């Protein structure tokens, strides 16, 4: 028994069975119903969208024994013969194989004869753009004024190659590319009628691979059935199409977000072992970035990523929009340049490495790279603060002080401290000055004030107990170092070390040869690692990770609901619902959460509410029903609002402490410094 492929078996037999192309079907149906059928139609469109099928259906409607109709009977001899391709008055001509003018003249010589069985003699010329110029010229006059019993149906995939004189004599109908959901729905219907088991995910992969062509989709389905031994399953379809695992683009984008080059290369190696198509890898990553950018603007736009909702929402929430646009542009350019790469894999690797490298970064003294796009504002404010409020000053005159402050415009290397946001540590070198240095009487009054202030600070430093951390700092040879060491919110002054008398005299420091240096005060053997994500978040917001944890712990001790949230094993997305809601216990089995409207998009999907309900039930060891209502009343604070209120109290207390500090007041008085309150953070 011969097998008929799906693309031929399921060719539409009436206009109602055609998938898509409603605009074309409506034109033809109305023309047949009104009897206003044009003598020449031109159907254009990509492969497999229904050009030839619609042309045959039009021929069937013109020659049905029941009359000219948009709904041919399909059972008469003419309809059956047209369907089976043996109707004598339907002449299907392959223009690709009959391009010569002699072939066209042979066709035209028989046009004058009346149809044998049908009402019209229909000439269906496929791939008409392949005809030669002489053939077009020979066809031109007949196409404009054919006999009444002749209809021309032309089909082409490239209408731009047709002469304008041909186009002007035809009614041009363009068939659109079919949408993926439309192809997927048709494939599901056909497989159900064929009684073939299938998976929804596999059908979606086939529909996407068809790239807008119904014929390609059916051909791929035939191949998938053979590979799956009579069924269409996701695993075999993915192997057949070489489809990339969606987890790989997610992992690549996450590696870019974290700035993790090692993870980036590992994911590319995994893709290579799976035999991924490199152009598809870039395309999938670009599509994911597009969806992330879209989700940042429209929170409900999940697209085809509903099965990875939590993962993509996390990226949309925490990735900076400018980073998303940067990655998108670089990957798009990399895809264009992929053909010029010596190897496709090398091209993909360089594209992702370029995306990683083009994030503006600052290299710290501890050899960690930090995105400078997140520290530019912090850097300038910290530099200004350091300049305006010096703690340990080694210059005896205002001129030398000016030489120290002037180069601050060129500061580019912040110090990374494990407990704090980065600070700028200047290295100030000067000649050693004796504690008992005498102030000349002839010195100006301003100079006297500065020297008196300096001597007073040096005396206080000698009486203060040195910390272990300061003792570990070795002085550089031929130089005197004075550093600002930032540990939490305390400022520890560093004494000038005495210079050995046998050493050579130090080079005088001027504004021209002065340089800023950042000290690495963290023990190299320390296993503490600062990841880029934590560092970025600490700079983007007002709170350091340590302060955030402290606020959470304190509120957990004060409020039962805050404590319960911390005991629940919630994902970041679901936890956002909890910390932005206050709880109302209706009874033993019903809990009402009053959630703020700013995050109401998180409960658009009932899955999130079900996850929270299940977690609460497991924690309380009883079946609970969780209801969430939108409530913006400020009578009761949510956990997040309580944390913010507590933070503001700590911030106000920190500002008062700084303003009331005697040393700070003395520095402001003698050096005309100002306190930058915007840079004050509680610890």
């Amino acid at each position: 028994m011969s097998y008929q492929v799906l693309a031929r078996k399921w060719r539409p037999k009436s206009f109602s069975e055609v998938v898509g192309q409603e605009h074309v079907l409506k034109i033809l149906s109305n023309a047949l119903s009104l009897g206003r059928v044009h003598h020449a139609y031109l159907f254009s469109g990509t492969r497999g969208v229904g050009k030839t099928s619609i042309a045959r259906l039009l021929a069937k409607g013109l020659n049905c024994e029941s009359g000219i109709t948009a709904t041919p009977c399909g059972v008469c001899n003419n309809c059956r013969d047209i369907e089976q391709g043996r109707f004598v008055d339907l002449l299907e001509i392959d223009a690709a194989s009959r391009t010569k003018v002699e072939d066209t003249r042979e066709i035209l010589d028989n046009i004058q004869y009346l149809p044998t069985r049908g009402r019209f003699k229909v000439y269906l010329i496929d791939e008409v753009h392949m005809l030669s110029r002489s053939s077009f010229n020979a066809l031109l006059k007949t196409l404009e004024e054919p006999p009444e019993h002749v209809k021309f149906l032309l089909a082409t995939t490239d209408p731009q190659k047709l002469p304008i004189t041909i186009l002007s004599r035809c009614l041009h109908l363009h068939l659109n590319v079919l949408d993926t959901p439309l192809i997927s729905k048709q494939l599901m219907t056909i497989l159900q009628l064929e009684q073939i088991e299938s998976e929804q995910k596999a059908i979606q992969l086939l529909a996407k691979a068809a790239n807008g062509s119904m014929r390609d989709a059916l051909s791929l389905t035939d191949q998938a059935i053979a590979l799956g031994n009579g069924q269409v399953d996701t695993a075999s379809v993915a192997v057949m199409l070489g489809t990339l695992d969606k987890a790989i683009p997610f992992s690549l984008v996450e590696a870019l977000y974290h700035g993790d080059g090692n993870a980036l290369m590992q994911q590319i190696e995994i893709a290579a072992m799976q035999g991924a198509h490199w152009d598809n890898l870039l395309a999938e990553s670009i599509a994911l970035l597009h969806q992330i950018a879209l989700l940042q603007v429209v929170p409900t736009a999940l697209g085809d990523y509903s099965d990875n909702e939590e993962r993509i929402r996390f990226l949309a929430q925490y990735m900076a929009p400018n980073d998303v646009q940067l990655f998108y542009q670089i990957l798009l350019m990399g895809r264009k340049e992929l053909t010029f790469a010596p190897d496709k894999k090398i091209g993909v690797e360089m594209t992702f490495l370029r995306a990683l490298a083009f994030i503006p970064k600052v290299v710290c003294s501890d050899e960690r790279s930090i995105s400078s796009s997140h520290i530019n504002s912090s850097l300038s404010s910290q530099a200004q603060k350091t300049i305006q409020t010096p703690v340990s000053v080694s210059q005896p005159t205002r001129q030398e002080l000016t030489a120290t402050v002037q180069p601050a415009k060129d500061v580019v290397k912040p110090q990374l401290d494990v407990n704090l946001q980065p600070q700028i540590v200047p290295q100030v070198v000067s000649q050693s000055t004796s504690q008992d240095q005498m102030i000349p009487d002839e010195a100006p009054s301003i100079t006297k004030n500065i020297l008196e202030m300096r001597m007073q600070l040096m005396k206080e430093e000698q009486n203060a107990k040195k910390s272990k951390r300061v003792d570990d700092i070795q002085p550089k040879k031929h130089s005197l170092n004075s550093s600002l060491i930032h540990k939490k919110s305390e400022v520890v002054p560093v004494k000038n070390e005495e210079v050995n008398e046998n050493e050579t005299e130090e080079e005088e420091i001027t504004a021209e040869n002065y340089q800023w240096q950042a000290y690495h005060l963290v023990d190299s053997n320390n296993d503490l690692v600062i990841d880029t994500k934590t560092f970025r978040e600490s700079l983007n917001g007002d709170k350091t990770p340590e302060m955030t944890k402290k606020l959470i712990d304190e509120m957990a001790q004060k409020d039962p609901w805050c404590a319960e949230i911390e005991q629940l094993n919630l994902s970041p997305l679901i936890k956002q619902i909890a910390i932005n809601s206050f709880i109302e216990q209706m009874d033993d089995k019903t809990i009402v959460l009053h959630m703020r409207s700013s995050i109401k998009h998180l409960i658009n999907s009932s899955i999130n509410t079900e996850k929270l309900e299940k977690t609460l039930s497991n924690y309380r060891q009883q079946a609970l029903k969780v209801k969430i209502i939108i409530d913006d009343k400020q009578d009761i604070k949510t956990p997040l609002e309580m944390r913010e209120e507590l933070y503001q109290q700590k911030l106000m207390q920190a500002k008062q402490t700084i303003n009331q500090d005697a040393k700070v007041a003395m520095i402001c008085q003698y050096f005309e410094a100002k306190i930058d309150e915007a840079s004050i953070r509680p610890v």
Side-chain angles (χ1 to χ4, degrees), residues 89-126:
D89 291 324
L90 174 60
L91 289 83
E92 295 193 23
I93 302 166
D94 180 19
S97 60
R98 305 187 66 180
T99 60
K100 296 181 180 180
V101 66
E102 292 81 4
D103 299 324
T104 305
R105 287 173 181 168
E106 181 182 347
I107 296 170
L108 298 177
D109 289 341
N110 297 322
I111 282 182
Q112 56 184 329
Y113 300 113
L114 293 174
T116 305
R117 291 176 52 188
R119 193 175 292 107
F120 294 96
K121 182 178 287 188
V122 180
Y123 287 87
L124 174 54
I125 306 177
D126 202 4

Side-chain angles (χ1 to χ4, degrees), residues 256 259 264 326-327 330 350-361:
L256 288 176
L264 197 67
L326 176 68
F327 296 153
I330 291 176
M350 285 302 298
T351 298
F352 280 102
L353 289 175
R354 186 185 308 160
L356 191 66
F358 266 65
I359 304 177
K361 294 180 180 178

Side-chain angles (χ1 to χ4, degrees), residues 66 183 229 240 274 377 384 516 569 671 680:
S66 61
I183 297 176
N229 195 20
M240 179 187 77
Q274 292 182 4
S377 58
Q384 185 66 24
W516 287 83
N569 186 17
F671 296 101
I680 298 176

